[in-house]
Amino acid sequence: MAGLSTSSLDLTHRPRRLRRAEWTRRLVRENVVTTNDLIWPIFIIEGQGKREPVGSMPGVERLSVDEAVRAAVQARDLGIPALALFPNTDPGLRNETGSEALNENNLVCRAVRAIVAEVPEIGVMTDVALDPYTSHGQDGLMVGDEIVNDETIEVLIGQSLNQARAGCHIIAPSDMMDGRIGAIRGALDGQGFEHVQIMAYAAKYASAFYGPFREAVGSGGLLRGDKRTYQMDPANSDEAIREVALDLEQGADMVMVKPGMPYLDICRRVKDEFGAPTFAYQVSGEYAMIMAAVERGWLDHDKAVMESLIAFKRAGCDGVLTYFAPFIAEKLARGG
Ligand code: PBG
């Protein structure tokens, strides 16, 4: 190009100098993903020795309780700190009030008891919300078209205590009702469960990226209407800060932003504002997007997955709920 003389370049600083070899790139690397950052979500079904593929999540299977125990053993051996359990409830057990959530022998409680008994080293987290149990697929009770807040909280308290009695270590309310963290904390403490942790789905958006999850737990086809009267508007950012502040004031030990990749700005704001243990949920749709492109040969699986994970660390997350957890842990165990 005429006119660009090398003498006009300022090369006092050559940032490329630090990128010339792997050893120097390693030396100046700011963030790392470790196995300690991972929570592995798994889907539970009835039966024995059953593994059922989830069509929209290639590589993910729904597991019967005994298979979930095997997954827990695998997770422990890989060093994954915790599992998050999601039941696919028999359609015949779903009703208007989600009453199966309160059954001490429901699927998720049986899975918790089995895993805690056989793999005591691993942390077990359970979702608190009514959508796996309601015939309308909403996270709360419906009166007419309204998802009613305060009445739902009464049931969520019962659900939390039910799961705590089964032995779960982390209660994760994902329903986005107002005031539920304080109510659940009070109830847990009142029943001697003061050591049970709460991870609040604090900034959970009304997102299209949950589609494959709803297929996995069987609530998608049932869902009447949408969840926009309780999950957050994707357009909002300051509101996420207010939501997280409320959940921390009410006693949340850890907070979560969900989905993950489309909301990295929220992760960073939450971490900067509160400095609390902050998690992101790399949700089913994020998993599906990567896997669909991989299946078409459009993305390199290993590189795309690892890059998606480092993005969460860069955004300030302490950990990530991800369906890629076993893959990542295995890869790290082999030396990255
Ligand atoms: C249920 C719940 C959802 C997810 C976790 N808990 C779906 C929803 O709110 O409809 C989504 C997780 C994923 O997409 O991977 N309250």
Side-chain angles (χ1 to χ4, degrees):
M1 201 171 46
L4 178 67
S5 78
T6 45
S7 61
S8 70
L9 287 172
D10 177 355
L11 293 171
T12 314
H13 300 283
R14 286 184 180 271
R16 291 183 57 193
R17 198 177 283 131
L18 297 179
R19 300 178 200 137
R20 284 176 58 82
E22 185 56 16
W23 65 264
T24 168
R25 290 190 292 267
R26 275 173 36 221
L27 204 53
V28 300
R29 188 159 293 151
E30 298 174 38
N31 294 289
V32 284
V33 176
T34 77
T35 301
N36 296 332
D37 303 324
L38 304 172
I39 298 177
W40 181 14
I42 58 178
F43 301 113
I44 316 283
I45 46 171
E46 291 291 350
Q48 255 310 108
K50 261 176 82 178
R51 307 180 72 99
E52 212 177 76
V54 180
S56 50
M57 301 179 74
V60 171
E61 295 169 314
R62 304 181 190 90
L63 308 177
S64 54
V65 170
D66 57 322
E67 291 292 327
V69 169
R70 288 161 59 130
V73 169
Q74 183 196 354
R76 177 202 58 203
D77 293 349
L78 285 166
I80 295 173
L83 300 177
L85 307 184
F86 296 96
N88 181 315
T89 307
D90 188 300
L93 295 173
R94 300 184 195 218
N95 59 25
E96 281 288 315
T97 58
S99 56
E100 180 66 5
L102 304 177
N103 173 2
E104 64 179 305
N105 281 317
N106 70 21
L107 185 55
V108 82
C109 288
R110 279 181 276 129
V112 169
R113 279 196 293 270
I115 292 171
V116 168
E118 298 195 44
V119 196
E121 304 89 346
I122 203 155
V124 178
M125 167 163 147
T126 51
D127 223 54
V128 166
L130 298 182
D131 57 307
Y133 307 105
T134 53
S135 45
H136 45 68
Q138 295 286 356
D139 293 23
L141 300 176
M142 281 185 98
V143 175
D145 285 341
E146 173 96 12
I147 315 299
V148 290
N149 194 86
D150 305 9
E151 296 83 345
T152 296
I153 288 182
E154 290 304 313
V155 188
L156 298 179
I157 288 173
Q159 184 183 18
S160 302
L161 289 172
N162 192 31
Q163 294 172 3
R165 284 186 203 107
C168 89
H169 306 104
I170 310 174
I171 291 286
S174 71
D175 55 288
M176 288 299 276
M177 299 297 126
D178 296 332
R180 86 275 205 226
I181 299 299
I184 291 170
R185 184 72 271 164
L188 288 172
D189 292 354
Q191 299 286 315
F193 295 115
E194 61 274 8
H195 299 306
V196 171
Q197 304 176 5
I198 295 180
M199 179 185 288
Y201 284 71
K204 174 171 177 178
Y205 287 85
S207 173
F209 291 96
Y210 308 147
F213 173 96
R214 291 178 191 165
E215 184 207 329
V217 299
S219 64
L222 300 175
L223 185 59
R224 277 210 316 261
D226 58 47
K227 301 192 177 186
R228 286 181 298 173
T229 65
Y230 46 106
Q231 298 180 350
M232 283 179 55
D233 183 341
N236 294 353
S237 172
D238 292 341
E239 187 188 6
I241 302 304
R242 296 197 299 276
E243 279 281 5
V244 171
L246 289 171
D247 286 359
L248 288 171
E249 274 165 27
Q250 290 174 36
D253 301 290
M254 302 176 275
V255 291
M256 191 207 295
V257 173
K258 177 183 174 194
M261 257 220 296
Y263 297 86
L264 290 176
D265 57 321
I266 307 298
C267 297
R268 171 47 69 193
R269 280 195 72 182
V270 166
K271 188 62 182 181
D272 286 349
E273 188 89 23
F274 303 102
T278 302
F279 291 77
Y281 197 144
Q282 182 178 44
V283 299
S284 57
E286 300 174 64
Y287 178 89
M289 278 196 300
I290 292 177
M291 293 306 287
V294 166
E295 282 191 345
R296 284 164 176 72
W298 293 346
L299 285 178
D300 177 304
H301 175 272
D302 294 17
K303 288 190 178 137
V305 172
M306 295 313 282
E307 187 174 332
S308 74
L309 263 287
I310 200 69
F312 292 112
K313 298 299 291 184
R314 202 184 59 241
C317 294
D318 295 282
V320 185
L321 287 89
T322 174
Y323 303 96
F324 292 117
F327 161 75
I328 295 161
E330 270 166 31
K331 187 166 165 63
L332 294 174
R334 289 195 306 268

